[in-house]
Amino acid sequence: MFPSEKIFKLFSFGLHGKTEPEKLNRIILINAFSIIALVFLLIYAILGLFNRTFLLSGILFSVSILNLVNIIQLIRTRNIRFSEYFLTVLFSILMFYLIIDGGPWDMGYIWSLTFPALSLILLGLKRGSIACLVFLSIIMILVIPDFNFIEPDY
């Protein structure tokens, strides 16, 4: 078995042949993104524990647990639309927190640059563009008036 076939089988979670190919491709895409995000979230959460940023670590652990719940829900129900929106909302909330808190070394805004790629890939061009516009509008409302609950100076 070729390595690409093993990766394909890993991300499809045994659904190959049980669902139609277009739906299976979306499931593989969501699972691939979720697993990669899960790995990075757990790594950064553990690093946050070593750096004594317990609130950030707790939030990253919580997001990774919700991400894992989303993977399990997708495997059981095969409800792709819900899973796409759940991931987009989950990571937009994480990005809003990182912008408000600043994240490690006040670099939270850099994490938010991944949101357009995530939303365009998961939701498609039209719905992803709308999500990006809403996300950008909320960030502008938060950052431009210089609210005092936003810790870093942007």
Side-chain angles (χ1 to χ4, degrees):
M1 186 180 282
F2 293 110
S4 61
E5 292 174 0
K6 289 181 182 179
I7 293 171
F8 182 75
K9 193 173 184 178
L10 171 74
F11 289 143
S12 66
F13 290 108
L15 295 175
H16 186 67
K18 295 180 182 177
T19 59
E20 50 272 4
E22 185 176 318
K23 208 173 189 181
L24 183 64
N25 287 339
R26 299 297 298 168
I27 290 172
I28 289 171
L29 180 70
I30 293 169
N31 285 336
F33 174 78
S34 296
I35 290 172
I36 292 168
L38 186 68
V39 168
F40 280 105
L41 285 170
L42 289 175
I43 288 171
Y44 281 114
I46 291 169
L47 288 174
L49 286 175
F50 288 127
N51 291 332
R52 298 185 188 277
T53 54
F54 299 115
L55 180 62
L56 177 64
S57 294
I59 288 173
L60 292 176
F61 275 125
S62 301
V63 169
S64 56
I65 288 170
L66 289 172
N67 192 5
L68 189 60
V69 167
N70 186 46
I71 293 171
I72 294 168
Q73 181 273 337
L74 179 63
I75 293 169
R76 287 189 176 184
T77 65
R78 297 186 193 128
N79 189 350
I80 296 170
R81 183 74 52 143
F82 174 79
S83 185
E84 290 170 343
Y85 282 118
F86 184 79
L87 275 178
T88 305
V89 169
L90 179 67
F91 283 100
S92 64
I93 291 170
L94 175 64
M95 297 307 152
F96 288 138
Y97 167 75
L98 289 173
I99 288 172
I100 290 171
D101 181 57
W105 305 287
D106 289 338
M107 301 293 274
Y109 67 94
I110 291 182
W111 284 41
S112 68
L113 296 176
T114 61
F115 182 78
L118 162 77
S119 64
L120 289 172
I121 290 172
L122 286 180
L123 300 177
L125 186 60
K126 185 177 180 182
R127 293 183 294 147
S129 298
I130 293 170
C132 288
L133 182 66
V134 170
F135 184 75
L136 180 64
S137 301
I138 294 173
I139 288 177
M140 288 174 52
I141 290 170
L142 288 175
V143 173
I144 289 176
D146 197 29
F147 290 117
N148 58 357
F149 62 84
I150 297 178
E151 291 184 16
D153 293 327
Y154 292 124

Coordinates of all heavy atoms in Angstrom, one line a residue, residues 2 13 40 49 62 66 68 73 76 91 94 96-97 103 106 110 112 124 142 145 151:
F2 N 0.6 2.2 -0.9 CA 1.4 3.4 -1.0 C 1.1 4.3 0.2 O 0.0 4.3 0.8 CB 1.0 4.2 -2.3 CG 1.5 3.4 -3.5 CD1 0.5 2.9 -4.4 CD2 2.8 3.3 -3.8 CE1 0.9 2.2 -5.5 CE2 3.2 2.6 -4.9 CZ 2.3 2.1 -5.8
F13 N -11.4 7.6 7.7 CA -12.0 6.9 8.8 C -12.8 5.7 8.5 O -13.9 5.5 9.0 CB -12.7 7.8 9.8 CG -11.8 8.7 10.6 CD1 -11.8 10.1 10.3 CD2 -11.0 8.3 11.5 CE1 -11.0 11.0 10.9 CE2 -10.1 9.2 12.2 CZ -10.2 10.5 11.9
F40 N -1.5 20.9 16.4 CA -0.9 22.2 16.7 C -1.5 22.8 17.9 O -0.8 23.4 18.7 CB -1.1 23.1 15.5 CG 0.0 22.9 14.4 CD1 -0.4 22.2 13.2 CD2 1.3 23.3 14.6 CE1 0.6 22.0 12.3 CE2 2.3 23.1 13.7 CZ 1.9 22.4 12.5
L49 N 1.5 25.8 28.9 CA 1.6 25.3 30.3 C 3.0 25.5 30.8 O 3.2 25.9 31.9 CB 1.2 23.9 30.4 CG -0.3 23.5 30.3 CD1 -0.5 22.0 30.3 CD2 -1.0 24.2 31.4
S62 N -9.5 23.4 25.4 CA -10.9 23.3 25.2 C -11.2 23.3 23.7 O -12.1 22.5 23.3 CB -11.6 24.5 25.8 OG -11.3 24.6 27.2
L66 N -13.2 20.3 21.7 CA -14.3 20.5 20.8 C -14.0 20.1 19.4 O -14.9 19.6 18.7 CB -14.7 22.0 20.9 CG -15.4 22.5 22.2 CD1 -15.6 24.0 22.2 CD2 -16.7 21.7 22.4
L68 N -12.1 17.6 18.5 CA -12.2 16.2 18.6 C -13.6 15.7 18.6 O -14.0 14.8 17.9 CB -11.4 15.6 19.8 CG -11.2 14.1 19.9 CD1 -10.4 13.6 18.7 CD2 -10.6 13.8 21.2
Q73 N -18.4 13.5 15.7 CA -19.7 13.8 15.2 C -19.8 13.7 13.7 O -20.8 13.1 13.2 CB -20.1 15.3 15.6 CG -21.5 15.7 15.2 CD -21.5 16.3 13.8 OE1 -20.5 16.8 13.3 NE2 -22.7 16.2 13.2
R76 N -19.9 9.9 12.8 CA -21.1 9.2 13.2 C -22.3 9.7 12.3 O -23.1 8.9 11.9 CB -21.5 9.5 14.6 CG -20.6 8.7 15.6 CD -21.1 8.8 16.9 NE -20.3 7.9 17.8 CZ -20.5 7.7 19.0 NH1 -21.5 8.3 19.6 NH2 -19.7 7.0 19.7
F91 N -13.1 28.2 15.4 CA -11.8 28.8 15.2 C -11.9 30.4 15.1 O -11.0 31.1 15.4 CB -11.1 28.2 14.0 CG -10.5 26.9 14.3 CD1 -11.1 25.7 14.0 CD2 -9.3 26.8 15.1 CE1 -10.6 24.5 14.3 CE2 -8.8 25.6 15.4 CZ -9.4 24.5 15.0
L94 N -11.8 31.4 18.6 CA -10.4 31.3 19.1 C -9.6 32.5 18.6 O -8.8 33.1 19.3 CB -9.8 30.0 18.6 CG -8.3 29.9 18.9 CD1 -8.0 29.8 20.4 CD2 -7.7 28.6 18.3
F96 N -10.8 35.5 17.7 CA -11.2 36.7 18.5 C -10.6 36.8 19.8 O -10.1 37.8 20.2 CB -12.8 36.7 18.6 CG -13.5 37.0 17.3 CD1 -14.6 36.3 17.0 CD2 -13.1 38.0 16.4 CE1 -15.3 36.5 15.9 CE2 -13.7 38.2 15.3 CZ -14.9 37.5 15.0
Y97 N -10.5 35.6 20.5 CA -9.8 35.6 21.8 C -8.4 36.0 21.7 O -7.9 36.8 22.5 CB -10.0 34.3 22.5 CG -9.0 34.2 23.7 CD1 -9.3 34.8 24.9 CD2 -7.8 33.5 23.6 CE1 -8.4 34.8 25.9 CE2 -6.9 33.4 24.6 CZ -7.3 34.1 25.8 OH -6.4 34.0 26.9
G103 N -2.5 36.9 22.8 CA -1.8 35.6 22.6 C -0.3 35.7 23.1 O 0.0 36.7 23.8
D106 N 2.0 38.9 22.3 CA 1.1 39.9 21.6 C 1.1 39.6 20.1 O 1.1 40.5 19.3 CB 1.5 41.3 21.9 CG 1.2 41.7 23.3 OD1 0.3 41.1 23.9 OD2 1.8 42.7 23.8
I110 N -1.6 37.6 14.3 CA -1.0 36.8 13.2 C -1.7 35.4 13.1 O -1.9 35.0 11.9 CB 0.5 36.6 13.5 CG1 1.2 37.9 13.3 CG2 1.1 35.5 12.5 CD1 2.7 37.9 13.5
S112 N -4.8 35.1 13.4 CA -6.1 35.4 12.7 C -5.9 35.5 11.2 O -6.9 35.4 10.5 CB -6.7 36.7 13.3 OG -5.9 37.8 12.9
G124 N -16.2 27.1 0.9 CA -16.3 27.5 -0.5 C -16.1 28.9 -0.7 O -16.0 29.7 0.2
L142 N -13.8 45.8 16.9 CA -13.1 45.6 18.1 C -11.8 46.5 18.2 O -11.5 47.0 19.3 CB -12.7 44.2 18.3 CG -13.8 43.2 18.6 CD1 -13.3 41.8 18.6 CD2 -14.4 43.5 20.0
P145 N -12.0 51.3 17.6 CA -12.3 52.3 18.6 C -11.4 52.3 19.8 O -11.6 53.1 20.7 CB -13.7 51.9 19.0 CG -14.2 51.0 18.0 CD -13.1 50.4 17.3
E151 N -6.0 43.9 25.2 CA -4.8 44.1 25.9 C -3.7 44.7 25.1 O -3.0 45.7 25.5 CB -4.3 42.8 26.6 CG -5.3 42.4 27.7 CD -4.8 41.2 28.4 OE1 -3.6 40.8 28.3 OE2 -5.6 40.6 29.2

